[in-house]
Amino acid sequence: MLILLRKIRLRHQSQIDQNDVEYQAERLRVGSGQGQDLQLFGDEVGRAHCTLEPSSEGGLRVRCHGQHQVTVADQDVAQVDLPANEWLRIGPHQLARIEAPPGFDLAIEVRIDSTATESVKERLGDALSLRMPRIRMLSYALLAAVLILGFALPLSSTFSEGWRNTLSRVGAPTNRHWATGELSRAHRMPAIAENCSACHEKPFRRVRNQACLSCHTGMSHHTDDPDLLALTGLDEQRCASCHIEHESPRRALIAEHVGLCVDCHARPERFAAMTELAPVRDFERAHPEFRPQVFDRDGTLQRIAQSETPRTYSGLIFPHDVHLDADVVHGPDGAGAALTCAGCHEPERDRVGFRPLSFERHCRGCHDLDAVLGDAVVELPHGDLDAARSLLEQAAADMPAPDVEAPARRRPGFEAPRGEQDQVEAVVDRVIGVQVCARCHEVTRTPGEVASLSAPRWPQRRFSRALFSHASHQWTSCESCHNVSDSADASELLMPDIADCRSCHTGANARTGVASTCVDCHQFHRGHTATFGAVPMPDHPLMSAGD
Amino acid sequence: MYVNILRYRHGRYLWWALALVAVCVGLYMSQDVALPRGGSSWQGYVLGSVAALLVLWLAWMGIRKRSYQASRGTLQGWVSAHIYLGLALPPVALMHSAFQFGLNVHTLTLLLLLGVVLSGVYGLYAYLRLPPAMVENRDNQSFDERLAELDRLDKLGLELAADCDESVQALVSSAIERSAIGGGLLDQLLARDRSQVLLPADDGVRPLAGNPGQRRVIDFLVAKLPDTSKPGEAERLRALLAVSSRRGELLQRLRRELALQSRLRIWLAFHVPLTVALLGALAVHVLTVFFYW
């Protein structure tokens, strides 16, 4: 529909100019706002005031928007069908449908009061009011998001595993997001990592020891004496008192700090059960000296402080200095190099301790057990004194008596004179007590008895209360801890003392040196019988008795 | 007498806050080094409780400031305490968390808390710095006075333009009509000038152009000045130039007024919703910690 709009501008009722505008539209929009087809100003003109369109009777249909009105014959109306050539007023302006020139479907004449302008406030309208986000709505929305994502969804995931997996798959939060930190590596198996109730059995109840022990069935306590546990209050400690979970994936579950031990061990006098123990605060500054296990001459195993220069009696005569002296010892074949430490002290496969010493493997190459009795050479068995003795007695009985002159001609029917019983014992005693056995073994000789010896004794571990592993020290030389090359006496205890250890190992909080905690050497869980249901403490033999 | 809120009673609450933080640092450091530091030691529980109580007390500020009948303490004192103890909150909360972060509701709580405090810090900055800027911008003319002047200039401009030729008339009325102040939230915050003008054109299609600072109109009028033919037109054009320049300045000051008012209040749109969310997250945090004790 082609519309002709004839604008006549008036000023103080007199015409200024006239302006014809063509529109191709179905209706005309009138108002003071931008984007109106006919823009009229004035306080009474709304931004979108009304629309104009031809009526079926050849007039003009006017429909006002909202509360706006137009004035027709001094009547304010919101909607009107205006006959042709009838005038209506919009604010100070007038308009009417006029006869359309040829080619136009509708013609409207509008007399515009050019002095009417829009007030600034009206024009700027709500641009002057502050555009603030709706704080209340934002608050509710944010709160709802927090409660749904942080609480409702994770809570719902605790009821059904399927639903939990669904939530996980779509990246929605689950009860995993309630964890205060990541699980330690030791507990990352699906049965635990994806099942919070494996440890947190009931909501709002602390994790019970039983939850730990359902998997860790072989766990022992600090001692197997329930009274001792009660006396020290250890029976009231929870697993989680020391082993803190959900701390950090990098942090082991094992609590390593001295504090856990020295809480009690710094002042053992406070506990009736610990009065014999020396106080410990820190390896570097306050740690009792070592008390290695030694056998005394009677074969009794004792722990003696190193300041008392303990001697250990294994029953062997073994001067380390001679055996390590390249000028003296030339190896098993007599042409090779001197002995090395590892030639006798063979590390176990785990390199923690050493394989047992063996005569066959370690001594036989140089030391034979041949007893020379007159013309005869008797090779004695090792490790069986009774067998050796009877072999010797037999050989000694066959040996001609040294003080009997052999007759020039032996008469038939007469046996050659043989050693008497006293003489046999003297020979056996000499072989065992001087010539062969006593070269390596200490021989005991009680009055009126023959020479005797016993199997060598070494404690399984020198340090019974600490775990020492040669594996972690294998790249240092043996001599750096064991000063053996000057040792002429096998009873010398060639163990390093605490000062030697401290030359590398420092306190747990030290900034230099190898900061060492209690559990680097000691075990907490060391009970031997069931408090929790226990396993024996593993032994790592440094040396064990020879075979 | 006006006293800067930060210097209220010689910064009494600054010392309170510093003392609180010092005590909390002591608590934090006193944690048994045997165990990893965290919220689950007794010191951790105490730090967490202190932080939670601080949050509740600080949030209560929102209620306190609306209760005009409250008699305990001046509102100024409360705001000063709110500021300093609010600033003490992040260190306390961070020590409670032992600086451990993760993808969980606990870190969410901490982040919301930091968000609340950060928005509060901006709010403090706004309250201290923007009112003087507003005074300066107003230049002894109230908002309504400025609007009235603008109205007067608009009418004057239209009158002057009505006596000029068609192109000037169309340009000036279009420039007045399409002078914009606000717009959306960002337009207000940044005082963006989205004014436009329909430029005169020979073929009847008038192109719409940006008119920031009424520069387009001014440029057009300046270009028009040399080739005036009608008597008195040059004077009218010069008067129009003056009107346009003044309009440009008025509009800019109005925009800045709105921007400053907007900036003075926008932080609350973060501070309050984040606080509400924090209260929710805090409840979830406490509940879930004991749910999986």
Side-chain angles (χ1 to χ4, degrees), chain A residues 327-339:
Chain A
D327 295 333
V328 178
V329 177
H330 298 288
D333 53 3
L339 292 181

Side-chain angles (χ1 to χ4, degrees), chain A residues 9 34 39 41 117 120 123-124 127-132 139 151 175 177-179 200 204 206 247 257, chain B residues 34 100 103-106 151 154-155 158 169 176-178 181 183 185 188 287-288 290-293:
Chain A
R9 291 207 300 150
Q34 290 186 25
Q39 198 175 21
F41 295 120
T117 52
V120 174
R123 178 152 46 78
L124 295 174
L128 295 176
S129 62
L130 284 183
R131 299 269 192 283
M132 277 292 122
S139 304
F151 188 69
N175 56 347
H177 297 93
W178 282 356
H200 303 277
F204 303 108
R206 297 183 116 185
E247 271 305 324
H257 199 271
Chain B
Q100 294 178 31
L103 186 64
N104 51 47
V105 291
H106 317 291
D151 199 17
D154 285 356
K155 288 192 169 111
L158 283 174
Q169 205 175 327
I176 289 171
E177 205 172 293
R178 290 167 193 269
I181 286 188
L185 172 62
Q188 285 194 343
L287 196 69
T288 54
F290 291 109
F291 188 92
Y292 286 143
W293 201 0

Side-chain angles (χ1 to χ4, degrees), chain A residues 9 11 16-17 19 32-35 39 41 114-121 123-124 126-136 138-140 142-143 146-147 149-151 154-155 158 175-181 196-197 200 202-207 238 240-244 246-248 251 255-260 263 509, chain B residues 32-38 40 45 100 103-106 108 112 143-144 147-148 150-152 154-155 158-159 162-163 166 169 173-185 188-189 196 247 251 254 257-259 261-263 265-266 268-270 272-274 276-281 284 286-293:
Chain A
R9 291 207 300 150
R11 187 183 212 176
I16 306 170
D17 56 12
N19 193 4
S32 64
Q34 290 186 25
Q39 198 175 21
F41 295 120
S114 68
T115 59
T117 52
E118 191 187 28
S119 78
V120 174
K121 272 192 177 168
R123 178 152 46 78
L124 295 174
D126 59 1
L128 295 176
S129 62
L130 284 183
R131 299 269 192 283
M132 277 292 122
R134 297 167 71 185
I135 291 181
R136 195 172 289 250
L138 265 180
S139 304
Y140 290 148
L142 216 51
L143 179 66
V146 164
L147 291 182
L149 295 174
F151 188 69
L155 183 68
T158 63
N175 56 347
R176 192 162 60 89
H177 297 93
W178 282 356
T180 53
C196 304
S197 60
H200 303 277
K202 278 189 179 174
F204 303 108
R205 188 179 70 183
R206 297 183 116 185
V207 175
R238 301 162 58 237
S241 302
C242 303
H243 302 283
I244 312 276
H246 293 295
E247 271 305 324
S248 155
R251 208 191 285 270
E256 290 192 313
H257 199 271
V258 289
L260 288 171
D263 278 351
N509 296 323
Chain B
D32 192 348
V33 276
L35 300 172
R37 286 185 170 126
S40 54
Y45 280 124
Q100 294 178 31
L103 186 64
N104 51 47
V105 291
H106 317 291
L108 172 70
L112 286 171
F143 197 74
D144 282 342
L147 276 178
L150 186 65
D151 199 17
R152 208 165 53 245
D154 285 356
K155 288 192 169 111
L158 283 174
E159 263 175 45
D163 292 335
E166 277 286 295
Q169 205 175 327
S173 74
S174 147
I176 289 171
E177 205 172 293
R178 290 167 193 269
S179 291
I181 286 188
L185 172 62
Q188 285 194 343
L189 270 177
Q196 291 178 315
R247 282 188 77 252
L251 286 166
L254 285 168
E257 171 78 23
L258 283 178
Q261 281 186 21
S262 184
R263 287 176 210 172
R265 281 162 66 177
I266 188 68
L268 277 171
F270 294 90
V272 174
L274 283 175
V276 173
L278 169 63
L279 290 173
V284 173
V286 173
L287 196 69
T288 54
V289 159
F290 291 109
F291 188 92
Y292 286 143
W293 201 0

Side-chain angles (χ1 to χ4, degrees), chain A residues 406-441:
Chain A
R409 191 167 62 97
R410 190 157 53 97
R411 274 182 296 170
F414 284 90
E415 283 196 350
R418 301 295 179 197
E420 295 301 315
Q421 189 57 36
D422 285 352
Q423 187 193 335
V424 167
E425 281 186 9
V427 169
V428 172
D429 196 68
R430 195 174 66 240
V431 170
I432 293 175
V434 180
Q435 284 183 343
V436 180
C437 303
R439 290 175 66 191
C440 299
H441 292 274

